[in-house]
Amino acid sequence: MDLEVTPAGANSDTRSDARISHLALDIGGTLAKLVYFSGNEKLLNDDRVQSSAEVGGRSSSILHGRLHFAKFETGKIDECVAFINSKELGSQHPKELGNGKIVKATGGGAFKFADLFKEKLDVCLDKEDEMDCLVAGANFLLKAVHQEAFTYIGGQKEFVQINQDDLYPFLLVNIGSGVSMIKVDGNGKFERVSGTSLGGGTFWGLGKLLTKCNSFDELLELSQQGNNRVVDMLVGDIYGGGDYNKIGLSSTAIASSFGKTVSANKVLENYRTEDLARSLLRMISNNIGQLAYLTALRFGLRRIFFGGFFIRGQCYTMDTISVAVHYWSKGDAQAMFMRHEGFLGALGAFMSYNKQGPDNFIHLMKQDPKHEPEFDGTAPEEEDSEYASIDCFLDLA
Ligand SMILES: Nc1ncnc2c1ncn2[C@@H]1O[C@H](COP(=O)(O)OP(=O)(O)O)[C@@H](O)[C@H]1O
Ligand SMILES: CC(C)(COP(=O)(O)O)[C@@H](O)C(=O)NCCC(=O)O
């Protein structure tokens, strides 16, 4: 019951009453994501609440606390179970009528691990549809969270001011193990219009085989030191060093990802793992960027938001996706990234506790300094700063 587990990305809560009052899960093909709310202090006539939302007169059903984010490898789901066990679900946590506690859960793991959660935690996973949750999570973040979306162009991050009256339609591209592309027209109004199996799992899986590295972070680190030109066949390699001007291809454009390895008299061991990782990351990111744009074009969409843990705030990944969208759309469409990239589904599942729908459930406290982003163009070193907890209140009305 008291197992101490510190997950990647979790923020430890030092408050004595830090039991979890609401918890939701998104258990995907590779990672299990948790969003949980702790702290059960009731806010009565608090100025910050009054100015954050019109909830006057209903303060008895308002909980103040922090929303936390954590992730575990799905392959080590026991660590996730132990973490929840160590935190304990408090008395406020929703229960089935006359029965034990329920936890909102989405992703394939909500089905796959339902028995495990029942057995180990005596918790019933209440399943929510993955696409519903992704969309609800994205809509909430884009509308409620200050400086959630940003562009990444030429090495510069720039926050996007979201105009709530002009947000829809957009294309949501979630890059998890696989990739889902969803046309979003409003709250709960969406259609999954495309997808591809060449996603984050492909990068991580092929990368692991090619470089023998042991963790996703190690693979990303390798990629930062690599040179893809050693592996990729460029237009110049084919055209004797020159451009292919007639069809607008410069000599440095990639003609064929990994294409150079065919004619070089080398085996895998002769390549630097850094170069292989770089080329692989570029290939996957570029392909997703291109497919995303083609899908957006099919439906006349100009705004494309990218989520999913494949991105991990990586400059090279975001840059490659942005360049692909810009190149293929001739500057017409724009790639935008989301700060809480990997938690869209878990947040959506969390919001489904609200019977009235996703709106007006989570309210962010005004001017939470902890929530001010610190983007400097580099990937955060510490997981904790990556997904800082959010000071907020839940309206349980
Ligand atoms: N710590 C990590 N361990 C494994 N994969 C990671 C990690 N961080 C990022 N990734 C990438 O994120 C992908 C999973 O993204 P996610 O959105 O969680 O999808 P899923 O719901 O399929 O698990 C992996 O395939 C990998 O590319
Ligand atoms: C099946 C999935 C929705 C599962 O989500 P994930 O765990 O990858 O986040 C996703 O992997 C996907 O959309 N794959 C692409 C399948 C296709 O459209 O061909």
Side-chain angles (χ1 to χ4, degrees):
M1 202 64 183
D2 289 317
L3 243 175
E4 269 302 313
V5 181
T6 311
N11 302 291
S12 59
D13 197 325
T14 51
R15 295 159 52 109
S16 55
D17 62 344
R19 294 201 302 171
I20 297 176
S21 90
H22 286 70
L23 160 77
L25 298 165
D26 173 7
I27 313 178
T30 309
L31 298 172
K33 281 76 61 179
L34 273 69
V35 171
Y36 62 95
F37 180 86
S38 65
N40 50 11
E41 173 194 318
K42 285 195 172 96
L43 276 182
L44 296 168
N45 300 320
D46 186 301
D47 280 353
R48 294 169 303 169
V49 174
Q50 298 299 339
S51 55
S52 298
E54 288 180 15
V55 292
R58 292 192 288 111
S59 47
S60 60
S61 49
I62 287 168
L63 300 181
H64 176 221
R66 297 196 80 90
L67 207 53
H68 300 264
F69 303 89
K71 67 179 189 308
F72 297 84
E73 287 175 34
T74 304
K76 297 178 184 165
I77 196 72
D78 286 342
E79 291 184 5
C80 174
V81 168
F83 175 74
I84 298 169
N85 213 357
S86 73
K87 286 276 178 185
E88 289 185 30
L89 303 182
S91 57
Q92 302 266 11
H93 203 283
K95 296 188 180 76
E96 271 180 321
L97 218 54
N99 254 319
K101 298 204 164 113
I102 61 154
V103 166
K104 292 285 185 185
T106 191
F111 295 82
K112 191 172 170 181
F113 298 115
D115 291 346
L116 181 86
F117 274 77
K118 185 75 194 152
E119 187 195 319
K120 303 265 182 189
L121 296 171
D122 195 25
V123 149
C124 181
L125 295 186
D126 190 8
K127 300 169 194 69
E128 294 289 331
D129 177 73
E130 185 173 344
M131 300 297 128
D132 283 341
C133 290
L134 284 174
V135 172
N139 278 337
F140 164 73
L141 288 166
L142 291 173
K143 287 189 209 162
V145 178
H146 181 53
Q147 298 192 327
E148 173 65 30
F150 58 94
T151 55
Y152 190 85
I153 299 163
Q156 293 293 317
K157 281 181 173 169
E158 210 165 287
F159 291 106
V160 179
Q161 295 298 324
I162 302 287
N163 176 356
Q164 300 208 11
D165 299 324
D166 186 29
L167 174 60
Y168 306 109
F170 63 80
L171 185 71
L172 176 63
V173 179
N174 193 64
I175 318 175
S177 307
V179 185
S180 277
M181 303 197 193
I182 308 166
K183 176 178 178 278
V184 183
D185 289 301
N187 260 354
K189 283 167 66 183
F190 67 87
E191 187 187 352
R192 182 186 186 275
V193 289
S194 193
T196 168
S197 61
L198 302 185
T202 319
F203 170 65
W204 179 203
L206 275 178
K208 204 170 173 177
L209 291 175
L210 289 173
T211 68
K212 299 191 172 56
C213 65
N214 291 314
S215 75
F216 184 80
D217 287 0
E218 202 187 317
L219 182 60
L220 284 183
E221 262 171 50
L222 281 178
S223 75
Q224 284 167 15
Q225 288 138 37
N227 177 4
N228 71 298
R229 293 179 186 200
V230 178
V231 177
D232 292 341
M233 186 184 280
L234 308 186
V235 169
D237 294 327
I238 303 172
Y239 275 79
D243 302 331
Y244 184 176
N245 281 326
K246 201 174 171 191
I247 59 168
L249 289 176
S250 75
S251 62
T252 54
I254 298 175
S256 169
S257 294
F258 281 84
K260 214 177 246 175
T261 61
V262 175
S263 49
N265 196 16
K266 290 183 186 176
V267 292
L268 183 60
E269 285 67 33
N270 299 134
Y271 287 96
R272 291 172 71 232
T273 49
E274 291 87 341
D275 300 337
L276 294 167
R278 182 81 163 188
S279 175
L280 189 58
L281 183 56
R282 183 140 175 189
M283 178 178 84
I284 297 292
S285 305
N286 192 38
N287 189 57
I288 293 171
Q290 181 175 10
L291 282 177
Y293 168 63
L294 291 175
T295 306
L297 180 70
R298 210 172 121 208
F299 295 95
L301 309 171
R302 296 176 67 187
R303 280 167 295 208
I304 311 174
F305 292 98
F306 289 87
F309 260 126
F310 167 70
I311 299 169
R312 279 295 295 278
Q314 272 291 305
C315 300
Y316 193 65
T317 306
M318 296 190 295
D319 190 62
T320 307
I321 291 174
S322 298
V323 168
V325 169
H326 184 86
Y327 175 81
W328 290 106
S329 71
K330 297 195 170 66
D332 227 28
Q334 203 170 35
M336 287 172 279
F337 303 93
M338 297 180 67
R339 197 166 171 240
H340 293 87
E341 53 192 12
F343 289 103
L344 309 188
L347 265 167
F350 189 92
M351 284 186 297
S352 68
Y353 280 115
N354 191 18
K355 306 264 182 308
Q356 328 297 327
D359 279 341
N360 300 320
F361 182 46
I362 308 170
H363 297 265
L364 270 52
M365 300 303 285
K366 273 191 105 188
Q367 292 168 338
D368 175 8
K370 266 201 92 176
H371 197 244
E372 287 303 312
E374 293 167 12
F375 283 134
D376 61 0
T378 56
E381 299 252 311
E382 284 178 35
E383 294 270 21
D384 273 7
S385 64
E386 209 174 351
Y387 311 106
S389 64
I390 298 178
D391 188 8
C392 63
F393 63 91
L394 297 187
D395 184 353
L396 304 179

